[in-house]
Amino acid sequence: MIGRSRTVLAAAVLLLAAAGWRIADARPSGPAFDHDEHVGLFPGSCTTCHLGAAEEGSAIWPTAANCATCHDGTVEAVVEWAPPTSSPPTNLRFAHASHRRETRDSVPCATCHQPDGPRGAVTRGRAEDCVDCHEPGMPHLAATDRECARCHVPLAQAVALPEARIAAFPAPPSHDSAEFAFAGHGRLATASRGGRRPQPVSASCSTCHAREFCLLCHVNAPEVAAIQALAPDRRSLLLHAELEAPASHGAATFVTAHGGAADRAGAACATCHTQPSCTACHVAPAPGAVRALPMPGAGRAAGALVSRTPPVSHTAAFREGHGPDASSQPQACATCHVRTECLTCHRGGPSTGAEYHPAGFLTRHPAAAYSRQTSCADCHNTQQFCVTCHAQAGLGARNTLQAGPYHDAKGAFLVGHGQAARQSLESCVSCHVERDCTVCHSAQGGRRFNPHGPGFDAERLRRRNPEMCIACHGRAIPGMS
Amino acid sequence: MTALHRWSGLVGLLATAMVPLAGQGYRVRLDSRLESVAWRGVAEDSIPATDVIAQPDGGFLTPDGHAARCQGRTCFFYRAGAIQRGVPWVTRADLALWGLGVNGLSARVNVRLAHDLRGEEIVWPAAQPDLLLDEGYLEYARRSITVRAGRQFLLGRLGAYGLDGGRVVLRSSGGWEVGGYAGWGLARGIAVPVTDPALNPLDDFQPRDRQVVAGVEAGWNGSRVDVHAEYRREIDPAVDYFVSERASAALTLRPVSRIRLTSGGTYDLAFGQLGTADVALSWLGQRVAVTVGGRHYRPFFNLWTIWGAFSPVAYQAWHGAVDVTPMPSVTLHARGERYRFEDTETATPTVDVEDRGWRYTTGISWRATPRWTIDAGHQAEFGPGAAALGYDGRVTFRPTDALTVGAHAARLRRPLELRFNDATVTSYGVDASYRPEAGWRFDLSGSTYHEDRDRPDAAAISWDQVRLSARFSFLIGSSADRLPLPRAVRGARP
C-alpha cells in the first residue's frame, strides 16, 4: 500500500513540479494521513497536531518527530513524512489562530473542514463556508465588497500565487451584464467610496485585478483614481478581456453624427480613445474634442484602433455627385478632408486630372462634356483649359467661324447651328471666342442676326450690365432711352 | 512686384518668424509629377475653291482627299501636322502651419509650379502661368468663429470660386452659422485674375480690372437637417456694373438613419433664370445603396462675355444609381440617366440635332483575394454632339501593403454627331504605386492609345500615343495625424 502510495505521490510531485516548485513545497511529503485510523489517539481535538490553528506563531503542521513517536520502527512502521516547508500560495487573508481568537473559539474546525472523505480525509475549507457565516445567503462571487477584502488580499500582494491559478480566476456574475464592460464596472470599482471608510477602488476589484489589466483599455488611466489606486502587477494581464465597441458605434449614422456626442461627452470618449483614434480620419488641426484627448504613452492604453471608413454615402457615384452634400454641410467634409484634396481637382491643371477622371477619360470626354454630365467649369477654366488643348488638336476656330471644318458631318451646319449652340454653348466656347460669333450676331459690324432666344430679358440684363449690350449694339441699345 | 510675390513673401516671413514658437504644428505636402506625351498635331491649310472636288452630298474634297469647307473663293481644311511633344513637370506644394502662438491661428499656402522639361512652350492645357498661388491665407478658427484673410477658394453650390480677400463665419452652439466674404475675385476655374495674360482666349473681351466680389451665407446643421444658403454678387469696379449676381440654396435631410434627401439649386438673378438644381433621394444600406433623383442644368456665364445673351437652354434629367455588395468581396454598381433639353426655338430643316440623350454605366469590383482585385465596367452614352460605348477592365495586385501594381485596358467606340470622327480607341496601361511608409508615395505608369479613326477622307489622322508618367509625393508634419496608429488588440499582452 505504501509502495503504491509512493508511486502516486511521485506522479503527483512531478505534476506539481511542472506547475511550480512552490506548490510542491506547500504540501506535506509522504503518505496521506489516515485520520480515521488515528482518531483514537487524538480524540476530539485537531489542535493536538495542528497547533498553529490555535496558537499564533505555532506551526499548523505536526513535525516528523511527532509521527516518529509511534512510527519508530518498533511500535509502528517508520513512515517517511515531512511537513511542508512553506505555506501554500494563496491570496487568502485567513489565519487560523486569529480567526479562532476573533470568533472566541466558537467555530469548531469541522465547520469548515469536513472529515468525511476516505480514511477521514479532511477537506479544505471552501469559500462558500466562509460566506455562509459572513454573508449568509450570498453566493461567494457575489459577496459584497467588504467581504472580499475580509478574506482576500489584493492580487498584487499575493505574490506567490501561481499564474495558472490567476488565469483560472472565476468571473463574478456581475461581469456578465451587458452594461458591465462600459459604465457598470466603473460604478462597482468606485462603489466603496461613499462608505464609512472610503476607498479609491473597490477591494473586490483589487482581489483579481491590478493596474495593468485596466491599461488594456483605459486610455485615461492616469486620470482615473480608481485605476491609480490599484497596485501594478503584470500577472493581471493573464485574465482575458475583450471589449466590443459600444452599440452606439454600430449605428449607420455614427460616422457622421459622433461629433456632437464627442463634444457633449468628451471624457467618455477619452476612456478608450487617444488622439490617433480620431486622427485616423480627422485632419489637423483637429477639433477641440480631439485635442482634448490624450496622446498614447506610458501608463495609458494604446487606444482603440480606428480604421478610416468612408461614410455609407460615399458610394461609387459619390465622387461625381458629392457637390450637394458638400455644399449643405461643408464642415462635415472638413472632418476628414484637407483643402488640398479639394483643390487637387477643383484647381484642375496639368497632370492632375487622373485624380478625378477615370483612366482614359480623355478619349471619351466629348460625350460627357457635350451634356455637362458634371460641370467642367467647376474645375477648369474653359476659356483657357479647353481652348488651349482644342487649338493644338486642330479643333480651335481661328478667328472666323467658317475656317473651322470641325462640323463637317453636317453640311449646312452654319445655317442651322442655333440649336446645337443653345443646347451646349459651353461646348462652343471650348473652341470659339466671342469674336467668332459677333461676325454675324452683332448689330455693330456684324450681320445683325439676333442671337437672343427664349426667356431673354433684355431690360433685366441692361440694368445689371449695359456693357454687355453695348458690345454688340453700341450705344444704341434697343429700347434704351 | 506681382501679387504672387507679395503673398509669397508675406507667408515666408510669417513662417520664419513663427518657427520658434512652442507648440507649433505644421504639415507639408509635396506632390511632383512628370509626364511625357506625344501625339500628332494638325495643321490648318487652305486651297482655292476652284481646286476642290464637289461631292454628291454637297461637300467638297481636296485633291488629296481632305474634306474641306469653303467660304467664298477659299476652302479650308486640316492636314496632319507635326508631332506635338510635351514633358510637363508639375509640382504642387501645400503648407499648413498652426500653433502660431494664438490658439486657433493657422497659415495655409498651396502653390503650383509647372515647367516643360523640353524647354519649349508647354503643350499642356492650363500649364500657364509657371508659378501659381492657388491658396495662401491666414485663418483664425475657433468653435464659434472662423476668419480667413488672403487668397482662398470658396467651394459650394455656386462653384469653386477664388478671391483675394477675407471671409468670416460665425457659428452658434445650436448649429447655426452665418458669414460673409468680400474681396477681389479670380477667374473661374483657375487661380489667376481675369486680367491675367494666361487667359488669352478672352482676347478683346478681357476685362481691364478685377471684379470686386461680396457675398453672404447662412446655414444650419442639425442631426437630421443641413441647410445652407448663399448670395453673391460680382461688380466690375471700372463701370460699377454687375459681373454676376447669383444665389444658391442647399438642403440635406436625414429623416431616418438610412434615408437621405439632398436638394438644392442656384438662381441667376442677373438673367432671372434657374441655374442648376437637383434633388436626390438615397437609401444607404450596408449592402445596398439606391439613389434616384432629378436635375436641371443650365450653364452659367457672367456678364463679361456675351455668351449669356445667346440664351443657352437648360436640360432636365432623371437619374438612378444602385450599389450592391452581395458579399464583402464583391461590389456591383449601376447608374443611368435620361435627359432632354428645353426647346431652343431654333429648329431648321437644314440641320437636325439631337435634343435628348441617355447614359448608363455598370461595373463590378471583385476582391478575389486580399491581394488581388479585379474591376470591370461598361459605359454607354448617347446624346447631342457625341456618343460613346466602351468597356474597361483593371487588375490590381498588392504583393505587400506598400506596393500596388496594376494593369488596365479599355476599348471605346466614340462617334461624334457634328463631325466625321467616328473612332474606336483601344488603350492599355500598367501602373505601380509604392508607399514605403505613411505619407510617402511613388507612382509610375504608362499607357498606350490606339485609335482607328473612321473618317471618309484623308484626314483620318492617327492619334495614337504613348503616355508615361512618374509621381512622387510626401507628407511630413508634426501633428498627431503623422503618427502611425498603435495596435490596440484587446486581450493581448502589450
Side-chain angles (χ1 to χ4, degrees):
Chain A
M1 176 65 74
I2 290 176
R4 184 185 169 197
S5 297
R6 282 183 175 173
T7 304
V8 172
L9 182 64
V13 166
L14 283 174
L15 283 173
L16 289 171
W21 66 271
R22 290 182 185 177
I23 295 178
D25 269 2
R27 299 280 181 240
S29 62
F33 185 78
D34 190 338
H35 284 83
D36 284 344
E37 189 174 330
H38 296 78
V39 69
L41 297 175
F42 316 111
S45 173
C46 302
T47 56
T48 304
C49 292
H50 302 288
L51 185 59
E55 295 180 3
E56 292 183 53
S58 299
I60 196 74
W61 297 97
T63 64
N66 293 140
C67 302
T69 306
C70 298
H71 293 276
D72 57 356
T74 304
V75 180
E76 291 290 345
V78 172
V79 293
E80 294 181 6
W81 185 90
T85 57
S86 65
S87 300
T90 181
N91 63 343
L92 283 177
R93 192 184 295 281
F94 183 83
H96 283 89
S98 58
H99 187 259
R100 183 184 173 113
R101 174 168 42 78
E102 288 167 6
T103 57
R104 299 181 181 176
D105 211 9
S106 63
V107 181
C109 301
T111 305
C112 301
H113 302 286
Q114 303 294 329
D116 54 1
R119 299 195 302 173
V122 178
T123 59
R124 294 176 59 83
R126 299 175 309 148
E128 288 74 11
D129 297 330
C130 306
V131 178
D132 276 348
C133 294
H134 289 285
E135 201 154 14
M138 184 70 73
H140 168 219
L141 296 176
T144 53
D145 191 62
R146 67 178 183 279
E147 301 307 333
C148 297
R150 185 190 300 277
C151 298
H152 294 285
V153 297
L155 174 66
Q157 294 178 23
V159 292
L161 202 60
E163 292 187 346
R165 287 182 57 189
I166 296 172
F169 277 170
S174 63
H175 292 34
D176 295 335
S177 89
E179 194 249 354
F180 178 80
F182 301 102
H185 75 282
R187 280 198 297 273
L188 288 177
T190 57
S192 58
R193 281 183 179 168
R196 291 173 57 191
R197 297 171 58 192
Q199 300 293 323
V201 64
S202 168
S204 57
C205 298
S206 60
T207 301
C208 300
H209 300 292
R211 193 183 302 164
E212 278 83 348
F213 179 81
C214 306
L215 295 185
L216 282 174
C217 300
H218 273 276
V219 161
N220 59 344
E223 289 76 47
V224 179
I227 296 175
Q228 293 305 306
L230 289 171
D233 192 331
R234 291 186 60 81
R235 295 176 303 156
S236 63
L237 297 175
L238 296 165
L239 294 173
H240 182 71
E242 195 160 326
L243 182 65
E244 298 291 336
S248 63
H249 291 33
T253 56
F254 180 76
V255 172
T256 53
H258 71 281
D263 282 340
R264 291 189 296 273
C269 304
T271 304
C272 298
H273 295 285
T274 54
Q275 286 190 27
S277 296
C278 306
T279 52
C281 299
H282 279 280
V283 294
V290 175
R291 294 196 302 270
L293 293 176
M295 289 293 290
R300 298 183 189 277
L305 183 64
V306 174
S307 59
R308 191 169 190 151
T309 306
V312 289
S313 62
H314 289 32
T315 60
F318 186 76
R319 185 171 55 174
E320 287 152 20
H322 68 278
D325 285 275
S327 56
S328 63
Q329 43 177 347
Q331 293 296 324
C333 305
T335 301
C336 301
H337 300 285
V338 293
R339 287 179 66 79
T340 303
E341 293 178 62
C342 306
L343 294 178
T344 299
C345 294
H346 283 289
R347 296 277 61 80
S351 289
T352 57
E355 294 284 328
Y356 177 78
H357 295 301
F361 179 76
L362 177 69
T363 59
R364 62 185 177 93
H365 83 279
Y370 263 112
S371 60
R372 266 42 190 187
Q373 181 178 1
T374 55
S375 176
C376 309
D378 279 347
C379 302
H380 303 293
N381 182 282
T382 52
Q383 287 162 314
Q384 186 205 42
F385 189 86
C386 304
V387 176
T388 307
C389 203
H390 286 175
Q392 293 188 78
L395 305 180
R398 301 297 170 90
N399 297 328
T400 62
L401 183 63
Q402 292 78 10
Y406 175 79
H407 313 96
D408 51 13
K410 300 286 183 182
F413 182 78
L414 181 62
V415 295
H417 71 279
Q419 183 186 358
R422 285 199 177 139
Q423 287 182 173
S424 190
L425 193 56
E426 287 172 301
S427 297
C428 303
V429 303
S430 69
C431 296
H432 295 286
V433 294
E434 287 92 336
R435 201 169 47 236
D436 297 336
C437 301
T438 55
V439 170
C440 296
H441 296 291
S442 173
Q444 275 198 318
R447 296 173 185 170
R448 308 181 72 85
F449 287 116
N450 180 4
H452 307 314
F456 181 71
D457 188 342
E459 179 57 24
R460 188 185 190 102
L461 282 177
R462 188 190 62 77
R463 285 199 307 268
R464 294 295 198 287
N465 192 339
E467 292 284 314
M468 191 175 64
C469 309
I470 292 169
C472 291
H473 294 283
R475 295 292 169 185
I477 304 172
M480 184 177 176
S481 58
Chain B
M1 180 180 281
T2 65
L4 180 60
H5 290 133
R6 285 196 296 273
W7 278 113
S8 303
L10 175 63
V11 172
L13 183 65
L14 180 73
T16 305
M18 294 301 182
V19 164
L21 291 177
Q24 182 172 315
Y26 69 96
R27 183 179 58 236
V28 178
R29 181 174 182 267
L30 193 74
D31 189 352
S32 192
R33 309 173 195 217
L34 180 68
E35 190 156 6
S36 172
V37 61
W39 74 88
R40 179 168 296 283
V42 292
E44 190 178 0
D45 204 348
S46 62
I47 186 173
T50 54
D51 293 348
V52 297
I53 304 163
Q55 298 298 298
D57 61 357
F60 300 98
L61 284 181
T62 64
D64 56 356
H66 291 86
R69 179 169 296 280
C70 299
Q71 173 66 25
R73 296 181 177 180
T74 308
C75 297
F76 301 90
F77 65 99
Y78 284 113
R79 63 170 69 250
I83 294 288
Q84 302 281 313
R85 296 183 191 279
V87 188
W89 181 25
V90 180
T91 300
R92 191 180 287 277
D94 180 28
L95 168 68
L97 289 172
W98 60 93
L100 304 176
V102 176
N103 198 7
L105 182 65
S106 61
R108 316 290 181 100
V109 179
N110 191 302
V111 180
R112 190 204 76 183
L113 296 98
H115 179 67
D116 193 307
L117 292 187
R118 297 182 71 244
E120 302 172 5
E121 182 183 358
I122 196 164
V123 290
W124 206 259
Q128 297 295 330
D130 294 343
L131 177 62
L132 193 65
L133 176 64
D134 273 333
E135 280 199 321
Y137 61 83
L138 282 174
E139 179 181 271
Y140 176 73
R142 306 290 291 173
R143 183 184 296 272
S144 58
I145 185 172
T146 298
V147 182
R148 281 184 190 155
R151 174 165 293 186
Q152 57 194 290
F153 273 87
L154 310 174
L155 298 165
R157 276 273 170 181
L158 296 179
Y161 186 86
L163 79 156
D164 292 327
R167 183 188 187 205
V168 178
V169 177
L170 301 172
R171 296 181 199 85
S172 76
S173 57
W176 285 98
E177 65 176 37
V178 295
Y181 51 85
W184 289 268
L186 300 172
R188 292 180 71 192
I190 188 169
V192 298
V194 290
T195 54
D196 195 284
L199 300 180
N200 264 336
L202 276 174
D203 207 9
D204 52 353
F205 277 79
Q206 189 156 24
R208 289 165 293 170
D209 298 297
R210 298 176 62 181
Q211 75 275 31
V212 175
V213 62
V216 292
E217 55 190 326
W220 183 69
N221 296 107
S223 60
R224 300 193 181 279
V225 179
D226 298 304
V227 61
H228 192 267
E230 184 177 356
Y231 168 81
R232 178 187 301 167
R233 60 166 54 180
E234 295 176 272
I235 302 293
D236 183 345
V239 290
D240 281 343
Y241 292 138
F242 279 93
V243 173
S244 75
E245 185 182 20
R246 291 196 295 162
S248 72
L251 171 72
T252 298
L253 288 176
R254 295 176 292 274
V256 294
S257 69
R258 295 193 181 280
I259 292 182
R260 167 196 295 253
L261 176 77
T262 58
S263 66
T266 65
Y267 189 80
D268 193 328
L269 294 160
F271 285 93
Q273 293 174 328
L274 180 65
T276 58
D278 54 69
V279 59
L281 180 66
S282 301
W283 189 86
L284 303 167
Q286 293 292 348
R287 289 180 176 272
V288 179
V290 180
T291 298
V292 294
R295 66 189 182 101
H296 172 97
Y297 179 82
R298 187 195 304 275
F300 161 69
F301 296 102
N302 62 39
L303 303 184
W304 263 331
T305 76
I306 58 174
W307 300 124
F310 282 58
S311 305
V313 296
Y315 70 73
Q316 284 78 40
W318 293 99
H319 58 85
V322 180
D323 289 74
V324 182
T325 308
M327 57 189 76
S329 60
V330 176
T331 303
L332 305 166
H333 61 86
R335 281 190 289 158
E337 181 178 67
R338 288 188 65 87
Y339 61 94
R340 180 172 188 173
F341 281 93
E342 294 173 350
D343 186 6
T344 63
E345 300 180 11
T346 57
T348 67
T350 55
V351 177
D352 181 27
V353 180
E354 294 290 340
D355 66 350
R356 67 197 69 187
W358 49 261
R359 63 172 67 91
Y360 70 81
T361 64
T362 57
I364 180 172
S365 180
W366 176 38
R367 209 172 124 198
T369 74
R371 300 291 182 194
W372 287 91
T373 303
I374 299 171
D375 298 280
H378 167 56
Q379 316 88 35
E381 48 194 319
F382 173 83
L389 177 69
Y391 304 87
D392 60 68
R394 176 178 175 82
V395 176
T396 306
F397 176 50
R398 198 161 60 94
T400 69
D401 289 343
L403 179 64
T404 303
V405 294
H408 57 88
R411 186 172 177 82
L412 173 79
R413 181 156 179 76
R414 186 194 60 188
L416 297 177
E417 184 186 18
L418 307 178
R419 189 181 190 204
F420 290 123
N421 196 39
D422 288 14
T424 300
V425 181
T426 307
S427 66
Y428 306 95
V430 293
D431 53 68
S433 180
Y434 179 56
R435 304 184 188 210
E437 58 180 273
W440 292 79
R441 175 175 174 176
F442 302 87
D443 293 279
L444 287 172
S445 69
S447 55
T448 66
Y449 293 86
H450 175 71
E451 184 184 55
D452 289 327
R453 189 172 289 188
D454 184 16
R455 261 188 81 110
D457 67 350
I461 304 163
S462 170
W463 184 74
D464 294 359
Q465 56 184 277
V466 175
R467 294 180 173 225
L468 303 171
S469 71
R471 177 184 181 186
F472 160 66
S473 70
F474 72 84
L475 172 69
I476 57 172
S478 61
S479 65
D481 62 345
R482 288 286 311 121
L483 297 176
L485 277 177
R487 287 178 57 79
V489 182
R490 304 299 178 206
R493 293 182 190 221

